Amino acid sequence: MKSIKNIIPKHLKKYIVKQKYSQYDNINQSTWKFIMKISKDFFKNHGHSIYIEGLYKTGISIHEIPKISDINNKLNKFKWNAVPVRGFIPPNAFMEFQSLKILPIAADIRTHRHLTYTPAPDIIHEAAGHAPIIANKDYAKYLTEYGEIANKAIMSSEDMELYYAIRELSDIKEQTNINAKEVKKYNDKLKKAYKNITYASESSLLSRMNWWTVEYGLIGTIDNYKIYGAGLLSSVEESENCLNKKIKKIPLTIDCINYEYDITEQQPQLFVAKDFKQLSEILKELASKMSFKIGGLYGLKQAIKAKTLCTVEIDNKIQISGIFEKFLQKNNNLIFIKTKGRTQLSCNNKEIKNQGTDYHKNGYSCPIGKLKNYKKSINKLSNNELKELNIKLGRSINLEFESGIKLEGKVKKITRKKSEIILIKISNCTIQFNKKYLYLPEFGNFDLICGEIINSVYGGVADKLNFDKIKVNSKYESFNKKYENCNNKKLNTFHIKANLLNKNYSSEKSLKLFNDVIKYFPKEWLILYEILESSSKNSDKKISNKIIKKLNEFIKHNNSESKVIKRGLKLIK
């Protein structure tokens, strides 16, 4: 298998971080261990059969946070890879990784105070949630196909605002000293972002399918289903709640894309797939209705509506990447297109020399279509026809398209690919349509793309590496800031002592640790559970009973953690 360094495109490497394993403290390790302990027991009965097997096959340890390099080595056997990333990376980047059979795993881990669920991607969600199911070849195939298609979906500016609102709220919630006012501020921002969504873009429709399959999917029949979605596999609370009959179970069809979701709420309904092959079938059906497949006027309208960076591909070869603003049409045929702001011209997904965003920083426009009298576009003309039209360096040209667009100027440069003309640079250029000027000499040299049909329109840019060389914000490169206050440091010391009890148990030390926890951290239950495991293994009923009594007090609070504490106690008993 190829080295992962040779698989990852340069523009994606900026999202990769180092998994600094030493940054995981003992609280992190206890969080991982507890979640995996109760999850493994629960999903033996309620998870897809591949889950338990997949944990082993993909290098996911139950007892400690896994090293992503180890997961990568195991995934290699399935012709997949894994890389560590900082929690939230842009959706299109995540999907491009996935299309390359690379699983981006957030190196971050949720705080123990958010043990039951966190909206932020973390190593529990992506390693223990996503990785094990990749051991099923039909599911792995679906993930790859989904990544390829989602990477071409057109994302709206509204989608981007929602993405940033989700990321900011998730980041603030994972801070150790959380401020209620700050949380409310970002909660309100998220609600506003949801409210500002005026239409369902291609990207949002695909994200719904992803949500109801990859994240919250069930498989089997309505009456006999198993869990395979990573969101459920990594949420110890919602995985149990989803079994409730109050949560409606619906047979999976393409109609799932008509159901919106809110990441801050538990799901009111879930979809049940017959098998993993069905996921690919529905995805194919959805893809057939997307702009990258349809192209033309439909695709361009979607790009303009989105107000985001998109790419128009002409004649399966030349790409224009930018924010599309306007177009002209005649008899339902596109005859002129225009972008605003930074624009890139590419051929076969590689930026054409001197045709990048520095040059086209104020937008780009161009007529497309066949030439009048020739019934073909410039790139299809024979040498004799090019000679007839005077298309030669230093010559003045006067072109008229079937649409009625007229172009005059002087040929300054001709760019060819495999003997076919793809671009003509024209000085002193004038473009006119219906007595209206579309381009004037004072605008500078004009670059005429030689092509006829818009065969595809898709989200993002053609040459990602060269379009934008700005580095990823360093704010999102670090993770797991260790010990933001002295209380965390002290609590971590208690977790270290609890682990030592497993190796060298002492009734006196156990009792002292228990009393210290009650004194300094009366609201902490996870550390008590750690002590309970040691005392129970060593048949120390006196201390075990004290801890169980205390944990039962937490259970009485009847909150999201009550159920998971109960599940943990059952495993010890």
Side-chain angles (χ1 to χ4, degrees):
M1 189 170 181
K2 288 182 181 179
S3 166
I4 193 165
K5 290 182 180 179
N6 299 326
I7 296 171
I8 302 174
K10 288 182 180 179
H11 65 273
L12 289 180
K13 289 181 179 178
K14 62 185 177 182
Y15 299 111
I16 299 172
V17 298
K18 287 184 179 179
Q19 185 192 23
K20 297 178 181 176
Y21 202 85
S22 61
Q23 284 190 337
Y24 299 120
D25 59 25
N26 279 71
I27 303 173
N28 298 145
Q29 294 288 358
S30 295
T31 301
W32 172 274
K33 188 168 65 173
F34 180 84
I35 289 174
M36 295 307 298
K37 181 174 183 175
I38 63 173
S39 294
K40 185 178 179 182
D41 178 73
F42 181 80
F43 293 122
K44 277 181 182 177
N45 298 317
H46 301 292
H48 186 276
S49 58
I50 197 64
Y51 178 75
I52 301 298
E53 180 186 345
L55 287 174
Y56 171 75
K57 286 186 173 180
T58 56
I60 312 287
S61 168
I62 301 299
H63 305 292
E64 61 183 3
I65 297 169
K67 291 180 179 178
I68 296 173
S69 57
D70 290 342
I71 297 174
N72 178 62
N73 291 336
K74 292 283 188 177
L75 283 176
N76 283 173
K77 295 177 181 178
F78 304 103
K79 297 183 179 179
W80 272 69
N81 287 280
V83 292
V85 298
R86 165 65 173 90
F88 272 108
I89 63 174
N92 57 340
F94 187 95
M95 291 308 165
E96 189 172 358
F97 272 117
Q98 192 170 292
S99 70
L100 296 169
K101 295 186 178 181
I102 300 170
L103 180 64
I105 297 179
D108 316 62
I109 185 168
R110 67 193 68 180
T111 65
H112 68 291
R113 291 185 178 87
H114 295 148
L115 182 146
T116 58
Y117 172 75
T118 176
D122 77 332
I123 194 166
I124 295 173
H125 173 78
E126 287 169 352
H130 285 295
I133 315 299
I134 290 177
N136 180 286
K137 64 178 182 179
D138 290 329
Y139 179 77
K141 178 174 177 285
Y142 168 66
L143 276 189
T144 308
E145 292 169 343
Y146 183 92
E148 291 169 351
I149 292 167
N151 193 38
K152 289 185 175 292
I154 294 176
M155 176 180 284
S156 73
S157 57
E158 298 168 354
D159 296 333
M160 289 304 299
E161 287 301 313
L162 180 61
Y163 159 72
Y164 286 119
I166 291 170
R167 184 173 76 175
E168 288 170 349
L169 176 62
S170 300
D171 280 347
I172 199 77
K173 278 188 171 183
E174 282 300 316
Q175 290 183 10
T176 306
N177 295 319
I178 194 166
N179 183 302
K181 287 185 178 180
E182 281 290 290
V183 173
K184 186 181 183 305
K185 173 186 169 183
Y186 287 104
N187 257 321
D188 291 343
K189 188 173 180 180
L190 178 58
K191 287 177 183 177
K192 186 179 178 181
Y194 272 120
K195 196 174 181 180
N196 287 342
I197 300 289
T198 59
Y199 79 104
S201 68
E202 290 182 351
S203 182
S204 65
L205 292 177
L206 268 170
S207 70
R208 290 176 190 177
M209 182 167 181
N210 184 72
W211 189 260
W212 302 123
T213 58
V214 174
E215 297 295 346
Y216 283 83
L218 303 175
I219 192 164
T221 66
I222 298 299
D223 299 318
N224 183 21
Y225 53 81
K226 301 294 182 183
I227 294 168
Y228 73 89
L232 292 173
L233 292 173
S234 61
S235 173
V236 292
E237 179 185 13
E238 196 163 5
S239 59
E240 184 174 351
N241 292 347
C242 82
L243 304 179
N244 195 310
K245 290 182 179 179
K246 291 180 181 179
I247 307 299
K248 189 176 181 182
K249 311 303 188 300
I250 305 170
L252 181 69
T253 67
I254 197 171
D255 288 340
C256 71
I257 65 173
N258 297 320
Y259 288 77
E260 298 178 14
Y261 63 88
D262 183 342
I263 70 157
T264 64
E265 301 291 337
Q266 293 203 25
Q267 312 314 310
Q269 74 280 311
L270 296 171
F271 294 84
V272 186
K274 290 183 288 187
D275 51 39
F276 289 132
K277 288 182 179 179
Q278 188 193 14
L279 305 184
S280 292
E281 292 166 5
I282 294 173
L283 180 64
K284 186 177 180 181
E285 183 181 354
L286 179 56
S288 68
K289 302 174 183 178
M290 291 174 61
S291 298
F292 83 96
K293 288 280 190 180
I294 298 172
L297 185 59
Y298 172 83
L300 189 57
K301 283 182 177 179
Q302 295 301 311
I304 291 172
K305 191 177 183 180
K307 300 177 183 176
T308 54
L309 288 170
C310 293
T311 295
V312 159
E313 186 172 88
I314 299 172
D315 293 353
N316 294 295
K317 182 174 289 186
I318 308 166
Q319 295 92 19
I320 306 170
S321 300
I323 297 177
F324 288 84
E325 182 182 37
K326 295 178 182 177
F327 65 88
L328 295 176
Q329 67 179 94
K330 186 175 180 181
N331 300 327
N332 290 322
N333 292 320
L334 284 165
I335 61 172
F336 190 85
I337 51 181
K338 186 177 187 300
T339 69
K340 64 177 181 179
R342 297 182 308 145
T343 303
Q344 174 194 65
L345 304 187
S346 304
C347 181
N348 297 326
N349 300 310
K350 187 174 182 180
E351 184 177 287
I352 300 170
K353 188 176 180 180
N354 300 322
Q355 295 293 327
T357 55
D358 288 341
Y359 181 64
H360 295 293
K361 57 186 176 184
N362 296 315
Y364 174 78
S365 60
C366 186
I368 58 172
K370 297 176 181 178
L371 294 177
K372 189 178 180 180
N373 300 327
Y374 288 86
K375 306 293 182 184
K376 62 177 79 169
S377 55
I378 294 172
N379 57 334
K380 302 299 180 185
L381 295 174
S382 66
N383 289 332
N384 286 335
E385 289 167 332
L386 290 170
K387 188 175 180 181
E388 287 174 11
L389 288 166
N390 224 22
I391 298 176
K392 192 174 180 180
L393 283 178
R395 300 288 182 88
S396 294
I397 56 173
N398 191 329
L399 305 176
E400 184 174 356
F401 292 80
E402 283 187 335
S403 60
I405 291 178
K406 296 178 181 179
L407 181 151
E408 295 181 11
K410 188 175 183 179
V411 177
K412 192 172 182 179
K413 184 180 178 182
I414 297 174
T415 302
R416 287 182 168 87
K417 288 289 180 184
K418 294 182 179 179
S419 75
E420 184 178 298
I421 295 177
I422 60 168
L423 197 68
I424 301 175
K425 188 178 289 292
I426 303 165
S427 62
N428 198 32
C429 183
T430 299
I431 301 176
Q432 191 176 4
F433 178 65
N434 289 341
K435 298 182 179 180
K436 182 179 178 180
Y437 287 100
L438 304 176
Y439 200 90
L440 293 168
E442 51 262 41
F443 296 166
N445 293 328
F446 180 77
D447 295 275
L448 174 65
I449 283 179
C450 303
E452 175 186 353
I453 297 170
I454 294 179
N455 59 277
S456 181
V457 181
Y458 55 87
V461 300
D463 187 340
K464 297 179 178 68
L465 179 63
N466 288 307
F467 187 92
D468 192 349
K469 297 179 181 178
I470 299 173
K471 290 183 179 179
V472 67
N473 191 331
S474 59
K475 176 184 175 184
Y476 298 106
E477 289 182 344
S478 61
F479 74 101
N480 287 347
K481 290 182 179 177
K482 200 172 182 180
Y483 307 138
E484 292 185 10
N485 58 51
C486 59
N487 277 340
N488 276 355
K489 190 170 184 178
K490 191 176 188 70
L491 179 60
N492 188 65
T493 301
F494 286 174
H495 276 270
I496 292 172
K497 290 180 178 180
N499 282 332
L500 290 173
L501 286 173
N502 281 321
K503 299 174 183 177
N504 187 17
Y505 186 78
S506 161
S507 184
E508 291 76 16
K509 289 180 181 179
S510 182
L511 181 60
K512 185 180 185 309
L513 182 55
F514 170 75
N515 289 330
D516 284 345
V517 170
I518 300 303
K519 180 181 177 180
Y520 294 106
F521 299 100
K523 295 182 180 180
E524 294 290 345
W525 63 266
L526 183 59
I527 178 65
L528 293 178
Y529 188 86
E530 292 271 290
I531 304 169
L532 177 61
E533 283 189 303
S534 298
S535 61
S536 296
K537 285 177 184 176
N538 290 278
S539 302
D540 192 338
K541 290 185 179 181
K542 184 178 178 181
I543 294 176
S544 295
N545 289 337
K546 278 179 177 287
I547 299 172
I548 290 170
K549 184 179 178 181
K550 190 64 182 175
L551 288 173
N552 280 326
E553 290 178 19
F554 284 99
I555 292 172
K556 288 177 183 177
H557 294 160
N558 198 28
N559 55 23
S560 62
E561 294 176 334
S562 300
K563 288 183 179 180
V564 298
I565 296 173
K566 280 183 183 178
R567 285 165 62 179
L569 285 176
K570 284 180 181 177
L571 292 178
I572 287 180
K573 289 179 181 179

